Amino acid sequence: MDSKYSPQLVEEKIYRGWEEKNLFKATVNKNKKPFSIILPPPNANANLHLGHAMYAYEDIMIRYKKLSGFETLWLPGADHAGFETQFVYEKHLKKEGKSRFDFNRETLYKNIMEFVMNNRSNMENQLKRLGFALDWSRKKFTIDEDIIKAVYKTFKKLSDEGLVYREKRLVNYCTFCGTSFSDLEVVHKEKISSLYYMKYGPFTLATTRPETKFGDTAVAVNPKDKRYKGWIGKEVEVEGLNGKFKLKVVAENSVDPKFGTGVVKVTPAHDFTDFETGKHHNLELKQVIGFDGKLNELAGPYQGLYVNEARKKIVDDMQTKGLIVKIKEDYSHRVGTCYKCGRILEPLPKEQWFVKVRPLAEKAQKLVDKDEIKIVPKKFKKVLLWWLKNFRDWNISRQIVWGIRIPAYHCKTKDDWFISTDKPVKCQICGDCDFQQDTDTFDTWFSSAQWPFATLRVNPSLFDYFYPTSVMETGYDILPWWVARMIMVGVFATGKKPFETVFLHGMVRDRNGQKMSKSKGNVIDPILMIDKYGADALRSALIFGTKEGGDVALSEQKVVGMRNFVNKIWNMGRFIEMNNQVKSQKSKVKSTIQNSKVLKELEKEYKKEKKQYLKYMNSYQFSQALGLVYEFIWHRFADYYIEQLKDEVINGNIEALGGLKEVYLENLKMLHPFIPFVTETVWKVFMGKEKSILNSEL
RNA sequence: GGUCGCUUAGCUCAACGGUAGAGCGCUUCAUUCACAUUGAAGAGGUUAAAGGUUCAAAUCCUUUAGCGACCACCA
């Protein structure tokens, strides 16, 4: 053994060894208890970041359970990440001076598939660099044929049970990205705008969006507002830019008498509140902004102008006509923006597929509330319950190409839709029209929500044995996007909860607790850290001295610190091994009474350590477990016991050496889930090249 | 505006009802020793503030002050 441990020399070889011996391969073994985790599939086309390294928690659980005698499955996958990926691909196209509009649907899809497939193996290799004990023989891709089939089946079932419907509603639409989103994808941002007070027939009203006035179909006031009570139900004539028009005055509770003048113009086609108002009063839906972000023919001379240009021009013209009373320029409010491109989202009326969420959410709520699905750490239980209680219907239609195309078909004769899991040969409504498939694709999260059962169902015996999965481990940031939906959809589709326990980890921050971002320049590349200090060091740096579910401050210094720990482990082994080799050449020396006492103390302290370790590991306190072993092996075992017995051991005292060796090997096993590479490397030195610590028992 | 959480050693954080801990940094000393990616010794904290419960509180409760995250249809 060298005086220094060099992860660079062994990690790759060790991982290959694990794979070749099929140590990560799960089988259906009725003699063992199953333990399974489905890896949250990383985006297929991107490099891993430190957030992915946090999946080390899953590796810790898998290896620990395997050492504890469970049959373990950790199933890897890759996410096609629909819109995310298409967005990245479009950026890539732009560099070549092209855009998505230069290709037909089939070609674009094929090109993106190629683009993704070229990058996928890179991502997978990075997971291997982290040392993850994944069963690669069972890897799945969210856009595999059988996964698509599973997704279609669920969609059909939802539809059959009345939980999916198609409706024209206001959706959050990004006119730049060219697609709608669900509520969850909308990022509300504080913005300073102008609040325009304008003359509106007999009233003055305040609005931030004068350009939508061509779509106004009513004026609303609060029914309790004495100032305007007399106007309710009456029709008023309004002088506009394109001539005079008439509108009804309606009463609406949502109108705040204290805001502005207490009068609101109602634009059902371009405002969520107004859309509701429109429904209450049966108002016409007058769309004046198109999906291209420009005003349409209803805007008369302003047709063809983008929203912002139109607003300016309209305000100018209104001022000329004396229709603007005043402008409050520093008005601060929140607007919905596209989480991807950052532009302001336009509420637009569009026919989309919606999932009726309430019945699904209520079932999920019960499971979580009664701890039938356990949430660790428990603080997230409240958050999850809040979401399950507040979810509204889920828009699952996306106007993009890269994704799973919705298996809904439009009958031209009857102007109606039917859903079919297999490609239909004839119209299932009228029997012989030239029906057409919906051009939209599913929200990626709709398919991701099905991941735990979709990945396993392809193999029924595997599904029976491993489902519900044991733990779902992921970052707390996607609790509503993913975890909540997996529960809702999983229970619906299989009748069983998708997992027993949810374990949530925190976000990785820089040394000052700041968010890592490219613009701040404080991003740490996990692969670079592995190159420099080894995977064991990086992994344990993310776990050591932290609290489960809390954010982790990571610095290169911390990785160095853990590298030192890993090296220390190596050198303890080196000391024992060196004396192990020479022992046969020396005469057998018996222990003194003093040394026997030390050995007994060691045995006692080790037993206490292990008991506590098991307690921590079984209650998901992994950082505590690691800290415990760290403290024991370094500051008790090495600093005290080895030092006490050192002279004896060098003298050839087999008893002392044996005592140290035994405790050392036991500690290697306890450490293996955290620092798999060095523990395996030393294990092989002691037990032989063909042996693996993963085959031992804890 | 709502919800959740945070405030402990210079920095980043553990401990969550029973004598204040770690990592990194700092000070002093020790190298023919498994490891200087080391060891020994040490400095450094009335655990944000106030009140309460308890034999006992960093830990439970209340209030206050800062900070953060997430959510929200104020036109």
Side-chain angles (χ1 to χ4, degrees), chain A residues 227-285:
Chain A
R227 293 172 291 178
Y228 307 111
K229 224 168 186 169
W231 290 99
I232 294 169
K234 293 194 174 142
E235 217 175 42
V236 294
E237 193 180 57
V238 179
E239 167 93 33
L241 289 172
N242 302 337
K244 289 182 180 170
F245 57 96
K246 284 182 178 171
L247 290 173
K248 221 169 85 177
V249 181
V250 298
E252 193 63 32
N253 285 320
S254 66
V255 178
D256 178 2
K258 292 189 197 101
F259 185 91
T261 59
V263 184
V264 184
K265 69 188 198 65
V266 181
T267 323
H270 298 292
D271 182 281
F272 288 99
T273 314
D274 293 0
F275 183 78
E276 291 303 315
T277 306
K279 264 185 166 174
H280 299 160
H281 302 279
N282 240 331
L283 302 175
E284 191 194 341
L285 204 62

Side-chain angles (χ1 to χ4, degrees), chain A residues 431-445:
Chain A
D432 78 333
C433 78
D434 191 12
F435 64 88
Q436 271 197 330
Q437 184 171 2
D438 191 349
T439 53
D440 289 352
T441 48
F442 284 122
D443 177 2
T444 311
W445 294 110

Side-chain angles (χ1 to χ4, degrees), chain A residues 678-691:
Chain A
V678 71
T679 46
E680 176 77 326
T681 307
V682 180
W683 191 265
K684 284 181 188 300
V685 172
F686 279 84
M687 306 301 202
K689 274 186 185 165
E690 292 308 305
K691 302 286 187 198

